[in-house]
Amino acid sequence: MEKGQKKKCVFAGTFDPLTLGHEAVIRDCLRLFDEVVVAIMVNPAKTPCFSIEQREKMLALAFDNQPRIKVVTFIGTVAQLLEKENTKIYVRGIRNGVDLDYENANLYASKKLDEELLAVYLPCPQELLHVSSSIVRNSLQFGTPIDEYVSPKVKEYITGLGK
């Protein structure tokens, strides 16, 4: 990194919906980097529960439009996203060994596209090891509480949507 250059990273995911785990990773990124690009990744093969606009709104609510966070939507590879954002640093949150194996497999595939990509793995806080977007979606489907998975602002927003 050149002298005076800002430290910038990308943290990407579907954020369907944004969880306390995602928020913890983003807060850790803010401690390490000058700018955090939060990329809502779009997989044309999947149908998310929440629209892109709704996921953008959850991020805005959770971080009160924090000026060091840039939210983007992206369709493509991680290598393409990092090139577009002019950084080589890709942050991933890790809950357990299964996550680590999954992320390493993706890292090795991405490094074939950009060998300079640098993955930064941030461990999940212990009290959030059980949190996932899938659990939130299942809870919403069955009408069970989501309080321990999402922030109060995100819960209020989701509840207001009637999900």
Side-chain angles (χ1 to χ4, degrees), residues 10 24 32 37 53-54 57 60-62 64 76 81 89-90 92 100 103 107 110 115 130 134 136 138 163:
V10 168
L32 294 168
V37 177
E53 294 77 16
Q54 290 168 335
K57 179 69 175 177
L61 287 168
D64 296 321
L81 172 61
I89 304 171
Y90 185 52
R92 304 305 300 148
L100 182 61
E103 294 301 341
L107 171 65
S110 293
E115 63 187 29
H130 65 293
S134 298
V136 177
N138 287 343
K163 294 260 182 191

Side-chain angles (χ1 to χ4, degrees), residues 11 19 26 50 68 79 82 110 113 115 124 126 136 138 146 152 158:
F11 175 51
T19 68
I26 295 168
F50 295 91
R68 293 174 40 224
L82 292 171
S110 293
L113 302 173
E115 63 187 29
C124 176
Q126 187 175 18
V136 177
N138 287 343
I146 60 172
I158 290 173

Side-chain angles (χ1 to χ4, degrees), residues 112-148:
K112 290 179 188 267
L113 302 173
D114 181 354
E115 63 187 29
E116 292 182 26
L117 184 151
L118 175 64
V120 175
Y121 295 156
L122 296 175
C124 176
Q126 187 175 18
E127 67 274 10
L128 299 177
L129 289 174
H130 65 293
V131 175
S132 71
S133 292
S134 298
I135 288 178
V136 177
R137 289 191 305 272
N138 287 343
S139 295
L140 291 170
Q141 181 179 1
F142 294 108
T144 58
I146 60 172
D147 304 76
E148 66 183 282

